[in-house]
Amino acid sequence: LENPQKADTYDYIVVGSGPGGGTLAANLAKAGESVLLLEAGDDQGENLNEKISGWFSLAGNDPLMRWDFFVKYHSDPVLQRKYNHLTWEVPGGGYYVGTDPPAGSKELGIYYPRTGTLGGCGTHNAQCAPLPSDRDWDDIAKMTGDDSWSAANMREQFIKLENYHNPSVPKGTRGHGFDGWLDITTNGPELLRNSTEAQTVLSAAAKVFGQDPDKLYDLITRDLNNNDTNRDYQEGLFGFPAHRNPMGRRVSSRDVVIDTLNAKKYPLTLGLHSFVTKVLFDTKSKKPRATGVEYLAGMSHYKADPRFNLTASNAAAATGTKQAYARKEVIVSGGAFNSPQLLMLSGIGPKEHLESLNITVLVDSPGVGSNLQDNTEYGVAAGASQPFTSKGPVCTYGSTPDDPCLEAWHRGEGPYTQGPLSALMLKSSASVNGERDIYFFGIAGGTFEGYWPGQTVNQVPAHGPNTFDFSIVKMNPQGKKGTLRLVSNDPRDMPDINFRFFEEGGEVDLQALVDGVEFGRKVFDSIAAPLGPFKEILPCASGKRDCDVKEEIRAQTWSHHATSTCAIGADDDPMAVLDSKFRVRGTEGLRVVDASVFPKTPGAFPVIPTFMLGTKAGDVILEDRKKW
Ligand SMILES: Cc1cc2nc3c(=O)[nH]c(=O)nc-3n(C[C@H](O)[C@H](O)[C@H](O)COP(=O)(O)OP(=O)(O)OC[C@H]3O[C@@H](n4cnc5c(N)ncnc54)[C@H](O)[C@@H]3O)c2cc1C
């Protein structure tokens, strides 16, 4: 391809700086390859909402970082309308959240949070950092015949990445890394020591699991990411690992990118406020060969950005379209929603769909935007006979100038440095392979019931300080029928996304969540006065356990770990978008590296597996670096 802007030519171009792309870009640059990393957002790394580990919900609501998507969870619109946190646009502007909107409101869908900022969703997520099950990796190895994906080999990638901090796990422990850039920290017992009532609930949970409740403090630092051969069958209480450092600062791909730049010796160029709209190809070769990208310079060009302004974007688009070129390869890492969107906009996707939007088809790849999956979530919550108290300071989340928890955080202490109380692992009756398939975490003093926009015209009811919630995450989802489709060929439009939860195979996921509810109820029932008896809040809001639990979960489940929309697959699978080396089938010089590549959602939380992809992809791409 004729290259009119020689200055904008690099060995590699990486699109998107999340756990996949940011990690990869830093790895390639550290190996001496010149890399242009293009990121639609800017850097909010000094913003306290991002930096303070315990402020992740403030980060999630921060308009400087967030991208707002609205999705469908079900094909059946009647079921969708039962969702308690369905979002509507009210006449005159603003959001209403609920099932009884004011007349004339427009149904937007279910709010689904993402970010458009340096570091991607790793900068506003809850930082939960468990490894997936070994089987999740081994299945990719088996499916593709590529043994570099085996769990044993992927453990080596994890070790390279990790800098582990857990008072119960000494340096040098097999299976962990202690020199990587990604800090993973397990809570010490400080938070739990401050809450007598939470100790009572977790001790009761330990008893239900058959663990010794007198060893509660040992249990809540137990190593969840241990390297035992039977790890994926182990149940009970564990420590809660999170990608933050022991001072309570979030660590993400934003940090490895900034550190690589600050080292001033690696050929990494970071383009912020650079929204990529198309991959450019040389179509004269046998297979279309990716040669660069086209992008819109300037902030907030995507409609998911709450600051998007059509007039401003049109004006900037008229003059601000730029190109950059790759001598070797282009790597798309926009995440599970934006990578398939970008491939489709560039002519790679289901032929009929692209043609219906007047997009020239380069590769008919029916799998792009299919196979969308997620960890479905729900909660079992109840009100105790007494409030949950804390001997620690009262946190105001920065809303008062003298927030004592903020002062403590600056010293590396207090609630803002810590994550949820503990992780609890359970094998449900619906486990398809005998492994544990439910991940709980405990929340004292409130419930977690999914996401909805922060500024709404109505107030969504909250629950009192006597509430305890076991949040339930379904691992290894069996529902794999979600879809993502473009609504137009304008790259600024958000796609149409339908997860199709519990359809075609997904009933198993529903049953596992029902088992999770039963487990929580058992724990609450086992707690005597004065904290007990407990009165149910979720799933049966009446407090009487008289609701249809399955139907309640079916309508009210939520999620935020989208994966698998550009999946790796076997050579003979027409739905396989990628081969085992992240290469986009039917093209040359184009790969995808992010959460969209997993053939199935890994474990309960995708972020650590996605960081691992960034590390693995670095190795794989460098093997080919002399080819170009
Ligand atoms: C609220 C929330 C909480 C979560 N909590 C957890 C958790 O505790 N543990 C866990 O394991 N997972 C969690 N997740 C999920 C996890 O963070 C994601 O799975 C992970 O970040 C995915 O990484 P990624 O690299 O695939 O993409 P992303 O993190 O989505 O990053 C993609 C990046 O690409 C950029 N981009 C996209 N399109 C373009 C374009 N066209 N041009 C330029 N740039 C572009 C975006 O701005 C973004 O920075 C959470 C997610 C959310 C939303």
Side-chain angles (χ1 to χ4, degrees), residues 15-21 38-41 67 113-122 124-129 274-277 333-336 338 342 451 560-562 593-596 605-608 610:
V15 180
S17 64
L38 292 173
E39 166 54 51
W67 273 3
R114 299 269 98 188
T115 53
T117 195
L118 183 63
C121 293
H124 75 158
N125 69 9
Q127 305 141 72
C128 312
S274 303
F275 179 62
V276 176
T277 53
S333 301
N338 291 88
L342 189 55
Y451 298 90
H560 54 288
H561 299 160
V593 178
D594 60 24
S596 65
F605 292 92
V607 81
I608 294 301
T610 310

Side-chain angles (χ1 to χ4, degrees), residues 329-552:
E329 300 196 53
V330 173
I331 299 106
V332 174
S333 301
F337 293 165
N338 291 88
S339 286
Q341 177 169 19
L342 189 55
L343 290 191
M344 289 196 233
L345 289 167
S346 309
I348 301 160
K351 184 166 177 275
E352 277 178 23
H353 177 54
L354 301 190
E355 283 174 348
S356 73
L357 297 168
N358 294 323
I359 296 173
T360 306
V361 180
L362 291 183
V363 181
D364 177 14
S365 181
V368 177
S370 295
N371 195 44
L372 171 64
Q373 300 167 37
D374 211 330
N375 299 110
T376 42
E377 300 187 41
Y378 193 67
V380 51
S385 301
Q386 286 181 335
F388 284 84
T389 56
S390 169
K391 292 179 212 122
V394 177
C395 302
T396 65
Y397 288 83
S399 63
T400 57
D402 56 350
D403 180 354
C405 301
L406 186 54
E407 284 170 24
W409 176 81
H410 282 294
R411 296 190 303 273
E413 295 166 5
Y416 296 162
T417 64
Q418 308 253 314
L421 296 168
S422 168
L424 295 83
M425 308 302 295
L426 175 80
K427 178 174 89 72
S428 79
S429 66
S431 167
V432 290
N433 51 27
E435 294 179 359
R436 58 195 187 185
D437 60 340
I438 291 286
Y439 189 114
F440 296 93
F441 51 96
I443 303 165
T447 56
F448 171 45
E449 293 177 58
Y451 298 90
W452 51 90
Q455 285 94 33
T456 58
V457 294
N458 55 321
Q459 196 69 34
V460 178
H463 302 289
N466 65 335
T467 308
F468 195 95
D469 178 26
F470 284 109
S471 203
I472 313 170
V473 184
K474 170 69 176 71
M475 301 164 70
N476 192 16
Q478 296 300 300
K480 301 181 171 76
K481 290 290 171 187
T483 53
L484 179 146
R485 290 289 178 261
L486 302 183
V487 297
S488 79
N489 58 17
D490 183 341
R492 299 171 301 181
D493 280 338
M494 291 171 283
D496 178 61
I497 297 164
N498 187 345
F499 283 86
R500 298 183 64 196
F501 284 142
F502 311 130
E503 297 174 30
E504 294 187 43
E507 279 288 326
V508 173
D509 301 331
L510 191 51
Q511 183 56 46
L513 291 169
V514 171
D515 282 18
V517 167
E518 285 311 317
F519 171 86
R521 284 177 167 178
K522 231 187 252 173
V523 175
F524 291 133
D525 286 348
S526 72
I527 299 170
L531 193 59
F534 281 70
K535 205 166 170 195
E536 187 151 301
I537 295 172
L538 282 177
C540 300
S542 65
K544 293 201 196 101
R545 297 192 183 171
D546 54 357
C547 62
D548 183 332
V549 174
K550 211 173 217 179
E551 291 318 305
E552 198 60 32

Side-chain angles (χ1 to χ4, degrees), residues 5 7 25 34 50 131 191 290 318 361-362 383 418 495 512 531 537 612 616:
Q5 292 159 290
S34 75
E50 177 173 327
L131 283 167
L191 197 61
V361 180
L362 291 183
Q418 308 253 314
L531 193 59
I537 295 172
M612 291 162 69
K616 175 179 177 39

